[in-house]
Amino acid sequence: MRIARTLLVLGAMAFAGATAHAQDEQPLILVLNATGPITPPMAEYIGRGLEVAERRGAEAVLLRLDTPGGSIDTLQVIILSIRASKVPVIVYVAPNGAMAASAGALITMAGHASAMAPESIIGASSVVGSGGEELDPTLKAKQSESLKATVRGLVERRGQEATRLAQDMIDDAKAVSASEALDAGLIDEIAADQAALFEQLDGLEVGMPDGTRALRTSGAVAETMEMSLIEQLLLIVTDPNIVFILLSLGVLAIQVELTHPGTWVPGFIGVTCLALAIYGLGVLPVNYFGLVFILTAFVLFVLEIKAPTHGALTAAGVASFIVGALVLFNSPGVPQFERVSVPLVVGVGVGFGLMFGAILAFALRAQRLPIQMGKETLLGKSGIARSNIGQGGQVQVDSELWTAEAADDSAEIRKGDRVKVVEVHGVRVKVRKV
């Protein structure tokens, strides 16, 4: 029995070791998720993922792409990272219905292998300005020719039809479906899901800097690498709605700090919000002329408090704030995904108007309240004489003893008589007998 138990333990250890060895032999594919506009934080994320894949000896990197596009500068950074990678990069436009539009189409072409999910689209890569506007014909021609030269280098290995289609995406903003892209040879496969993609790409030869390599993707272990906390934060602050909110809160907090110096908390919050908003404004296509209207709105709000006009300046401030935000973010030609929500702008503008209106109402009500402090509060109050009062004596007013003298027109005041304060001189009061 002892020998049987020993053999059983040794067999289990051998089986576990064989299983672990088999798992170690399985190829690793690192999965990156690039969803949303192409921004600098996304470029940082992709670059970091490629470095991690190289350090871990991954078989390939799978870049799941679903984007409406982005800036040319960020696109060039991503393309350089992919083409310089020592690990094959598979660009997969997914899930069903996803898009690789504008800059996303060129990222798909830059992959060492590329695939699309059913019902996804690719293309519409014509050149526009940073604000979505049409460029000067000469400048547009220069940038278009530069991009076409880039895509020719990326897809000429796929044949003339694929090259012609890629150039049409830039010249004529052409977009095609997954099946049309596959028929033209622009992509390698159409895959319903990730597991099917790995099976279909197994054995595909891809060109790498060090030569041709065959992909080993069948049975591969997929491991997703998420964005870091900093990358997620920077990606969030490139959302136009978030930038608008940060900008509004930042200006409001700084205004509170300037009107109530010494309370450092609003100042700290304001500087932080404005710093994040400035980063977002540097990435987004904005018209900075809108900032003039936004700052004018806050000046009008303050003037309403300092010199009340019964709401006229507040109404003008709300209108200026809304117009400024729309000019800043929603100029003609800006893509829809980079526009700020109009209901959000109107809601925040009306909210600020109501807030400053409430402050104004409190200020006006405070002006109508009777005086609560100072010598003026004693005038007209009644009290009790605590001694006979002629040229001197004491009276009690509101549980306080005051040095008092009789007014010229007062009757004789004796101890216990009720009196009324008619004048205040420092710590002495003049009283008249009631």
Side-chain angles (χ1 to χ4, degrees):
M1 289 296 293
R2 194 176 301 129
I3 294 173
R5 282 197 298 269
T6 302
L7 291 175
L8 183 61
V9 170
L10 291 175
M13 292 174 62
F15 178 77
T19 302
H21 179 71
Q23 290 177 344
D24 290 340
E25 287 298 317
Q26 287 181 298
L28 168 67
I29 295 182
L30 194 66
V31 180
L32 307 178
N33 292 306
T35 303
I38 303 298
T39 57
M42 185 178 291
E44 292 288 336
Y45 167 60
I46 294 174
R48 184 170 64 89
L50 296 178
E51 293 176 0
V52 171
E54 183 178 346
R55 286 200 307 268
R56 297 186 57 182
E59 174 66 22
V61 171
L62 178 65
L63 179 61
R64 292 176 60 94
L65 187 65
D66 182 9
T67 178
S71 71
I72 293 178
D73 293 338
T74 307
L75 166 67
Q76 296 288 2
V77 171
I78 295 176
I79 290 178
L80 288 175
S81 298
I82 292 175
R83 300 312 298 175
S85 174
K86 296 180 181 179
V87 178
V89 178
I90 305 167
V91 180
Y92 180 34
V93 184
N96 286 15
M99 67 171 66
S102 191
L106 276 73
I107 293 175
T108 306
M109 300 174 201
H112 301 102
S114 55
M116 298 175 66
E119 302 173 13
S120 57
I121 63 171
I122 184 173
S125 305
S126 57
V127 178
V128 293
S130 61
E133 73 281 1
E134 283 294 326
L135 294 174
D136 173 78
T138 302
L139 180 59
K140 181 174 182 178
K142 290 173 63 176
Q143 293 194 2
S144 296
E145 289 301 319
S146 176
L147 283 182
K148 286 195 293 183
T150 299
V151 300
R152 282 197 299 270
L154 295 175
V155 302
E156 62 183 0
R157 59 188 171 86
R158 297 181 176 274
Q160 292 185 355
E161 188 175 353
T163 303
R164 189 182 309 111
L165 174 60
Q167 293 186 119
D168 287 343
M169 291 179 178
I170 298 172
D171 284 334
D172 305 322
K174 186 173 183 177
V176 296
S177 65
S179 58
E180 290 172 325
L182 182 63
D183 292 340
L186 192 64
I187 61 174
D188 297 298
E189 296 289 346
I190 295 177
D193 54 39
Q194 188 170 289
L197 176 65
F198 289 170
E199 292 297 326
Q200 293 172 225
L201 290 180
D202 189 55
L204 178 69
E205 293 189 348
V206 295
M208 300 297 295
D210 57 354
T212 303
R213 185 184 311 179
L215 295 176
R216 295 186 304 122
T217 55
S218 180
V221 176
E223 182 177 321
T224 301
M225 190 188 87
E226 302 292 348
M227 280 189 166
S228 67
L229 182 61
I230 297 298
E231 290 165 344
Q232 291 179 31
L233 174 63
L234 294 178
L235 190 63
I236 289 173
V237 298
T238 55
D239 183 297
N241 296 304
I242 300 299
V243 173
F244 167 70
I245 293 174
L246 290 173
L247 181 63
S248 304
L249 291 178
V251 174
L252 179 63
I254 292 296
Q255 189 177 63
V256 172
E257 179 66 31
L258 293 177
T259 53
H260 299 80
T263 54
W264 60 270
V265 174
F268 173 77
I269 294 174
V271 170
T272 302
C273 290
L274 286 179
L276 294 173
I278 289 171
Y279 173 83
L281 291 174
V283 173
L284 293 170
V286 295
N287 184 346
Y288 287 100
F289 184 63
L291 289 176
V292 176
F293 288 94
I294 293 177
L295 294 177
T296 300
F298 282 97
V299 171
L300 293 174
F301 290 148
V302 173
L303 290 177
E304 180 68 85
I305 296 174
K306 300 295 184 182
T309 59
H310 305 290
L313 291 180
T314 298
V318 170
S320 179
F321 181 84
I322 293 173
V323 170
L326 296 179
V327 170
L328 183 65
F329 294 101
N330 291 9
S331 295
V334 174
Q336 186 62 40
F337 66 89
E338 292 181 328
R339 288 173 173 258
V340 71
S341 168
V342 175
L344 174 65
V345 171
V346 175
V348 173
V350 172
F352 279 154
L354 293 175
M355 181 181 66
F356 280 96
I359 295 174
L360 175 62
F362 282 120
L364 293 175
R365 188 173 68 176
Q367 291 178 358
R368 291 193 293 266
L369 290 175
I371 298 173
Q372 303 293 325
M373 298 179 64
K375 66 181 183 180
E376 292 83 358
T377 61
L378 290 173
L379 294 176
K381 285 192 173 182
S382 299
I384 303 294
R386 292 307 181 191
S387 64
N388 295 334
I389 297 176
Q391 295 301 316
Q394 287 187 326
V395 297
Q396 180 179 338
V397 182
D398 285 347
S399 71
E400 296 178 337
L401 289 176
W402 292 82
T403 301
E405 61 182 76
D408 294 338
D409 59 348
S410 173
E412 183 181 1
I413 302 174
R414 294 185 178 277
K415 182 179 180 179
D417 289 343
R418 292 191 63 79
V419 296
K420 183 178 181 179
V421 179
V422 294
E423 292 183 32
V424 181
H425 300 284
V427 294
R428 296 177 63 86
V429 296
K430 279 190 175 185
V431 295
R432 179 188 299 118
K433 182 177 179 179
V434 177

